[in-house]
Amino acid sequence: MDFPLAFLFCFLAIPVFGDNTSSKPRSCSDVRQFYSGKGFSLSGVPQTEISGEHLRVCSQGYTCCTSDMEDGLASLSKREFEALVKEAGRSLQASLNSQYKNFDGYFLELLNGSERSVQSFLSVYGSLYSQNAHIFQDLYGELRRYQRGASVNLEETFNDLWARLLERAFKASHPQYVIGDEYLECVAKQAETLRPFGDVPRDLKLKASRAIIAARSFVQGLTVAGEVVRKVSQVPLSPECVRAIMKLMYCPHCRMMASVRPCTNYCRNVMKGCLANQADLDTEWQNLVDALLQVTSRFAGETSVDVLINSIPLRISEAMLTMQENNEVFSSKVFQACGSPRLAATHSSRSEEPRKRANAAADSKPHLTLTVSVKLEKLVSDVTSKLREMQQYWVQLPNALCNDRVTAGVANEDKCWNGMGKARYLPEVMGDGLASQINNPEVEIDITKPDMTIRQQIMALKIMTNRLNSAFNGNDVDFQDATDDVSGSGSGMCSDELCARSPRVIVPNTDRPNVYAYPAENEMVHSTGSRIHPRIALLLLPLATLSLWR
């Protein structure tokens, strides 16, 4: 993944000048030039070295820095490092947003194309279709609303489709009768056991719902991930971290050792300390990525979302043909159970159109070859690669910021800036996360006081992961925006074009009427493969475009 971070290290592009070991006070001309180049006034900047007893961050040897210079460089360190972390987050967020747009657009495109196919599949039914086209329009309208995040009960939506079709089909088959609402209620009760549409309603509802639930959960998982990155990347540095970054980056200037790069392990301890809270996202971030990767398995094979959505017109056509073929038997049993409805005042003999249309439908039943599209396969391949690359982002960020182009590297462990001078850095490197920083020699951290913004985002990741796991098993859940659920004050809305459109989804109605008494639908779908594990190698933050020390 190409994260353009290197250019943000411009504050590290330090002019090279060697150490002067002469006993005479050294000239501060290079430091003055550097300090002025950063936009500071040279007023009060010494011309030659002075005693450093006044320094509060850098070591108190001979120096070219005053207290005001130290304060200015500390503030500069804070701004530049926060901008660096934010830009890294923006790059990751942009990648997630791009994937979100690709998949969300594709799923809506699928629904639109499936709706267009309805007319060609169902036109053979003549007036039965043309006079009731709004039923199918309503179906696809509800599916689009669901995909956009509205409170839509998919089971109820499909049940309503078949209930309305049954009502229209039964009336069309018996134009000589006056069929009221009470009689239609009786017809619906008989349909629970007689199943005039065959097994299609149950099969389509089960499979299509699971595919659509997976599609929506996937795009919302990408949205939540992007929002978490945005919020975490804006967390400000603590005062202790400001001092540590200043000491790492700018104290060599004050000591006239700007050409000496930081020791690698020294840099890592500073970054692990300053990004300790962010590293605590790692477990839940990896769980979220695993859940997203797991859901992508729903986009392949016979249960793929595009196969099932494209099959809706064909399955409806099959159901209507079954209804036409079974019409006489079904009507006979309805009349036995519900009685004969009242004849219309002026009635015609029983229409032959349903029978004729049934024969026409049987003779010209359309066929459709349903396979996973090349476009969806490409989308899945691309997002799988991107997700695996970003899976260890939070724990790899400190190491990425201490790249060999930033630090002295392993070959120069004895000739690097260790925070005090040009020598080997002896302390061990701390682990990842807040709890591991209790003995960090470079950053003073109270491990009992975690950053609350980041803790909230950890909870947001947990919530979204649970929802994705439920969706993988075909279960609809409350898709409230997880980042807003736990973020406390603030709207959580994005402030720039990189933020994905985060659909607002409300708790679906769980009081679902049973129009048709099909067998229980509590089968759970389980993954048959092993859990997807990420590649260990992280392709984050390439810093090949710019040498940080010149």
Side-chain angles (χ1 to χ4, degrees), residues 351-534:
S351 173
E352 290 296 317
E353 182 181 1
R355 182 185 300 274
K356 294 177 180 179
R357 290 298 178 182
N359 293 333
D363 293 338
S364 60
K365 180 180 177 181
H367 297 278
L368 179 65
T369 301
L370 297 172
T371 58
V372 179
S373 72
V374 174
K375 182 176 181 180
L376 180 57
E377 289 180 340
K378 175 65 170 64
L379 288 175
V380 170
S381 175
D382 188 44
V383 76
T384 297
S385 175
K386 294 291 194 299
L387 288 172
R388 286 175 176 169
E389 287 171 3
M390 67 179 66
Q391 193 160 22
Q392 294 186 346
Y393 174 83
W394 299 107
V395 293
Q396 290 291 344
L397 185 57
N399 289 338
L401 297 180
C402 294
N403 186 278
D404 283 347
R405 292 180 176 82
V406 177
T407 63
V410 178
N412 296 297
E413 289 182 346
D414 294 323
K415 299 178 290 184
C416 55
W417 171 251
N418 66 3
M420 299 296 294
K422 183 179 179 180
R424 175 181 289 267
Y425 183 76
L426 299 178
E428 65 176 344
V429 178
M430 299 295 101
D432 298 311
L434 189 62
S436 299
Q437 308 309 311
I438 188 170
N439 294 318
N440 192 316
E442 308 307 333
V443 187
E444 296 180 11
I445 299 177
D446 186 349
I447 65 171
T448 66
K449 295 181 180 179
D451 183 271
M452 294 312 299
T453 296
I454 293 178
R455 299 297 131 174
Q456 289 163 357
Q457 299 314 303
I458 290 174
M459 182 59 65
L461 293 173
K462 287 183 178 181
I463 292 172
M464 192 66 238
T465 298
N466 288 336
R467 291 171 173 174
L468 283 163
N469 290 334
S470 295
F472 175 77
N473 290 321
N475 300 322
D476 207 346
V477 287
D478 168 16
F479 274 95
Q480 292 285 347
D481 183 348
T483 56
D484 287 343
D485 286 346
V486 296
S487 60
S489 61
S491 66
M493 296 299 293
C494 299
S495 58
D496 55 57
E497 69 281 359
L498 288 179
C499 298
R501 171 174 56 85
S502 179
R504 184 68 174 174
V505 189
I506 305 174
V507 182
N509 178 17
T510 56
D511 299 325
R512 300 174 177 177
N514 292 321
V515 177
Y516 303 105
Y518 293 123
E521 299 180 9
N522 58 355
E523 300 99 325
M524 298 299 289
V525 177
H526 299 283
S527 173
T528 58
S530 60
R531 188 180 181 91
I532 299 175
H533 292 286

